């Protein structure tokens, strides 16, 4: 193809993919009181207002807790499993792999409903606990996949050398394996964090008044309000995700692991 | 590398038990509910579900929109992917990063943007009415078109990524060779590009199709109660009607779709390795 059409195609596709995001930022900068593009005057007031909305602060806290805590728990479960599956001949390794990666296949809304009906209602555990377990399960496949990939890339003779030199197996893992795959672990953490933070369907049925994740709170807010604060919040969250990814890419070559 | 089976199992077990107990078990029970009614095991919930014309409309709409999004994203995807791989290497990476950037942004934010664009006083209507083309604003929100546009923007990057990686594996001179030998662009696409990138197309298509089929946010925000899809119907059946029978039937339909798509992908992946 000659230059012009492919240039046109790229511009159109990128405008379609990125344009709406730019429009959100512009709408969020509006000085007016309702959502509009082009913005009516320029101001940062909606970016500031977002921080004063009580429910956003609470749900941001819930989402951060789930994203950080759930991902760390998934890593605590996933790293030993990855180590076992890449270094040992585990009986039924295929079954383990399938079970652990199953949360990626099942549509989130089903998980949320199933946990509500067969875990929360019968046992009376709190919503926050249920959300925590659901988000941990959601992130577990990513943790196992990314960590396993970096363990597979790590040469096993380093561990063997450590063992021969008198390390216990636990020492070999903590002193040789883990430091060498820390990039992979961080990549798994970031991927898990972003997945957990942005996900909606899993938390849908597990959110009630009082405890809500941020994305669900945003949806609830915009059903009642038509002001640019959700636009401002969306823009802030987008910058946060992009910032995290860029930093990871810069320092770790994040894309190697994903 | 280590033969000790018990240690290996002990290390793998916590994760497996966690996923099985807190995930597979509840989901399994939920899905099995779709095969029960008051008298015990039965297919009646399925028959009842599909007996309702409204449910059939939602089911067919979900299939139709998912197929349409997959089809249109394949067309746009091929054009874009080809444009990306023909860029010089330096700018190729940058453009590719821009294409994948939306995947990092919250789907709520991405869907929300379309409210600003398609709303009654949104960007599109302001342009149309402001320029005098129309007297009254168009009703764009809460239509299938709005849901289609939202889903397309959400999932198009997945298609482009799959096709770009498929095209990068294509022999470099295949296209120029076909051109030199006199093929027109349609022939180049049908006889050279399409066969060589078929795997990428199937992978991208499956991701986009199942993604659209199981999306919740986009139909909820852009379609509302007017344009229900399976996921929004499921949510509505539970929260509004307390109707768990239909909910587990819908869950099973979604599950079968997602699972068969995954199986297809796995097939392709192993076929590729065997070759």
């Amino acid at each position: 193809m000659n230059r012009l059409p492919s240039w046109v195609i790229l511009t159109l596709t990128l405008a379609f993919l990125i344009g709406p995001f730019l429009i959100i930022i512009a709408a969020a900068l509006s000085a007016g009181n309702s959502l509009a593009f082009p913005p009516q005057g320029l101001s940062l007031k909606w970016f500031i207002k977002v921080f004063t909305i009580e429910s956003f602060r609470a749900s941001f806290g819930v989402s951060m807790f789930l994203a950080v805590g759930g991902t760390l728990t998934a890593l605590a479960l996933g790293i030993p499993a990855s180590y076992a599956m890449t270094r040992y001949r585990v009986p039924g390794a295929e079954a383990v792999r399938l079970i652990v990666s199953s949360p990626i296949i099942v549509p989130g809304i089903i998980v949320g409903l199933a946990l509500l009906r067969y875990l929360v209602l019968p046992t009376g555990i709190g919503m926050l606990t249920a959300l925590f377990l659901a988000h941990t399960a959601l992130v577990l496949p990513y943790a196992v996949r990314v960590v396993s990939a970096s363990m597979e890339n790590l040469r096993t003779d380093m561990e063997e050398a450590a063992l021969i030199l008198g390390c216990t197996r636990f020492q070999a893992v903590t002193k040789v394996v883990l430091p060498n795959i820390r990039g992979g672990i961080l990549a798994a953490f970031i991927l898990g964090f972003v997945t957990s933070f942005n996900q909606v369907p899993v938390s849908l049925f597990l959110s009630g008044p009082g405890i809500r994740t941020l994305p669900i709170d945003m949806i609830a807010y915009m059903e009642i309000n038509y002001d640019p604060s959700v636009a401002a919040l969306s823009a802030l969250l987008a910058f946060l995700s992009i910032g995290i990814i860029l930093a990871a890419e810069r320092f770790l070559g994040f894309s190697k692991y994903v | 590398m280590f033969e000790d089976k018990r240690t290996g199992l002990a290390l793998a077990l916590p994760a497996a038990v966690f996923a099985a107990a807190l995930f597979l078990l509840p989901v399994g029970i939920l899905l099995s509910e779709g095969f029960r009614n008051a008298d015990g095991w039965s297919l009646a919930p399925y028959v009842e579900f599909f007996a309702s014309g409204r449910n059939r409309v939602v089911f067919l709409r979900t299939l139709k929109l998912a197929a349409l999004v997959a089809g249109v994203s394949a067309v746009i995807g091929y054009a874009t992917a080809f444009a990306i791989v023909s860029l010089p290497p330096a700018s190729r990476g940058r453009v590719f990063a821009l294409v994948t950037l939306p995947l990092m942004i919250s789907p709520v934010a991405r869907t929300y943007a379309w409210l600003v664009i398609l709303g009654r006083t949104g960007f599109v209507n302001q342009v149309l009415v402001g320029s005098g083309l129309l007297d009254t604003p168009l009703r764009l929100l809460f239509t299938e078109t709005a849901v289609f546009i939202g889903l397309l923007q959400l999932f198009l990057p997945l298609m482009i990524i799959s096709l770009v990686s498929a095209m990068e594996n294509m022999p470099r001179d295949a296209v120029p060779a076909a051109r030199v030998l006199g093929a027109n662009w349609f022939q180049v696409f049908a006889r050279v590009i399409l066969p060589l990138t078929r795997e990428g197309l199937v992978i991208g298509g499956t991701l986009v199709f199942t993604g659209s089929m199981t999306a919740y946010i986009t139909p909820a925000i852009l379609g509302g109660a007017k344009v229900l899809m399976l996921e929004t119907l499921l949510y509505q059946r539970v929260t509004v009607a307390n109707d768990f029978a239909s909910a587990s039937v819908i869950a099973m339909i979604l599950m079968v779709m997602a699972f068969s798509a995954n199986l297809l992908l796995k097939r392709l992946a192993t076929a590729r390795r065997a070759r």
Side-chain angles (χ1 to χ4, degrees):
Chain A
M1 241 178 271
N2 43 35
R3 275 263 164 270
L4 188 68
S6 77
W7 186 81
V8 172
I9 289 165
L10 281 180
T11 312
L12 287 177
T13 306
L14 286 177
F16 178 65
L17 290 178
I18 313 271
F21 174 53
L22 300 177
I23 285 179
I24 288 194
I25 299 175
L29 286 169
S30 170
N33 288 327
S34 74
L35 199 57
F37 182 85
Q40 304 138 322
L42 278 183
S43 103
L44 282 175
K45 72 175 182 181
W46 295 107
F47 281 94
I48 295 160
K49 166 126 197 266
V50 164
F51 291 93
T52 66
I53 298 174
E54 192 61 49
S55 82
F56 283 162
R57 288 218 303 254
S59 57
F60 178 78
V62 171
S63 276
M64 275 308 250
F65 167 71
L66 294 176
V68 174
T71 306
L72 287 179
T73 313
L75 282 170
L77 292 165
I79 292 174
S82 307
Y83 187 72
M85 286 188 290
T86 53
R87 296 295 188 267
Y88 287 89
R89 228 164 272 164
V90 181
E94 256 325 289
V96 171
R97 207 180 297 273
L98 199 70
I99 292 170
V100 169
S101 62
S102 58
I104 234 174
I105 309 167
V106 179
I109 200 164
I110 303 178
V111 181
L113 179 60
L115 286 184
L116 175 72
R117 283 202 81 192
Y118 303 108
L119 189 74
V120 175
L121 296 181
T123 64
I125 63 165
M127 284 288 192
L128 193 61
T129 317
L131 275 175
F132 183 82
L133 296 172
H135 278 244
T136 304
L138 177 80
V139 171
L140 189 59
Y142 298 95
V144 170
R145 198 167 65 181
V146 177
V147 173
S148 292
S150 41
M151 282 203 191
E152 263 161 26
N153 290 334
L154 183 70
R155 289 169 44 177
T156 52
D157 44 9
M158 290 173 68
E159 287 155 78
E160 278 160 3
L163 290 173
I164 290 166
L165 292 170
C167 277
T168 64
R169 200 167 288 162
F170 182 73
Q171 286 171 323
V173 170
T174 51
K175 294 194 172 155
V176 177
V177 178
L178 291 182
N180 274 294
I181 60 160
R182 58 170 189 260
I185 293 175
L186 195 62
F189 180 82
I190 290 166
L191 194 63
F193 180 91
V194 173
T195 306
S196 166
F197 201 91
N198 287 339
Q199 94 77 38
V200 165
V202 169
S203 324
L204 211 53
F205 286 115
L206 300 175
S207 289
I211 291 180
R212 266 189 192 143
T213 64
L214 186 57
I216 288 181
D217 204 24
M218 286 163 75
I219 296 176
Y221 183 90
M222 61 207 243
E223 272 165 12
I224 307 167
N225 301 283
Y226 201 65
D227 67 37
S229 51
V230 173
L233 187 51
S234 297
L236 287 174
L237 288 179
F239 285 130
L240 185 73
S241 308
I242 295 167
I244 293 173
I245 300 293
L246 282 183
E249 180 66 49
R250 177 113 201 187
F251 296 115
L252 292 166
F254 181 64
S255 44
K256 267 193 310 221
Y257 299 99
V258 188
Chain B
M1 140 185 176
F2 302 127
E3 288 300 319
D4 179 6
K5 286 183 179 158
R6 239 187 294 163
T7 318
L9 199 59
L11 288 170
L13 223 46
V17 169
F18 179 88
L22 290 164
F23 183 82
L24 285 182
L25 190 67
V27 168
I29 301 174
L30 178 75
L31 294 179
S32 73
E33 288 289 301
F35 296 100
R36 302 174 79 111
N37 63 5
D39 314 323
W41 296 101
S42 140
L43 282 174
Y46 285 86
V47 178
E48 262 167 53
F49 179 82
F50 282 106
S52 147
R54 189 165 154 269
N55 288 347
R56 282 202 304 268
V57 167
V58 173
F59 175 73
L60 292 175
R61 175 189 292 140
T62 308
L63 282 184
K64 180 182 85 181
L65 277 176
L68 209 58
V69 173
V72 172
S73 69
V75 174
I76 303 177
Y78 265 113
T80 312
F82 195 79
I84 290 177
V85 292
S86 23
L87 286 172
S91 42
R92 191 191 300 175
R94 230 166 287 149
V95 172
F96 191 66
L98 280 178
V99 167
T100 52
L101 178 77
L103 291 176
M104 307 301 167
I105 299 173
S106 158
V108 173
R110 290 205 272 157
T111 307
Y112 182 74
W114 293 108
L115 281 184
V116 188
I117 298 169
L118 301 175
R120 222 187 130 70
T121 55
F123 180 55
V124 171
N125 272 325
Q126 280 186 28
V127 170
L128 288 177
V129 177
S131 64
L133 276 172
L134 286 178
D135 298 331
T136 47
L138 282 178
R139 184 182 179 78
L140 297 166
L141 280 182
F142 312 121
T143 62
E144 283 191 13
T145 314
V147 177
F148 168 78
I149 292 174
L151 289 173
L152 186 65
Q153 195 226 7
L154 214 52
F155 294 113
L156 180 59
L158 295 179
M159 178 65 91
I160 298 177
I161 292 169
S162 305
L163 289 178
V164 166
S165 59
M167 281 187 192
E168 276 173 346
N169 292 332
M170 228 166 54
R172 244 159 218 289
D173 28 21
V175 171
R179 290 290 287 162
V180 168
L181 292 170
N184 61 35
W185 273 108
F186 177 75
Q187 289 168 322
V188 169
F189 178 75
R191 304 236 181 119
V192 180
I193 298 181
L194 189 61
L196 287 173
T197 56
R198 209 176 46 210
E199 263 175 31
L201 177 66
V202 176
I203 291 174
T206 325
L207 291 175
V208 175
F209 183 81
T210 43
S212 308
M213 172 111 193
T214 59
Y216 173 80
I217 303 164
T218 304
I221 295 178
L222 300 177
K226 285 238 164 61
V227 189
L228 286 173
M229 283 178 61
L230 283 175
E231 289 243 344
T232 39
L233 180 66
L234 190 161
Y235 185 71
Q236 207 204 44
R237 292 323 291 162
V238 172
T239 52
V240 180
N242 221 17
D243 168 8
F244 284 100
S246 319
S248 41
V249 171
I250 301 171
M252 193 66 191
I253 299 173
L254 291 171
M255 195 56 223
V256 167
M257 297 303 304
F259 196 75
S260 22
N262 206 271
L263 221 59
L264 186 70
L265 281 183
K266 203 159 265 175
R267 260 280 152 85
L268 273 177
T270 43
R272 185 192 254 166
R273 237 177 277 137
R275 197 154 20 97

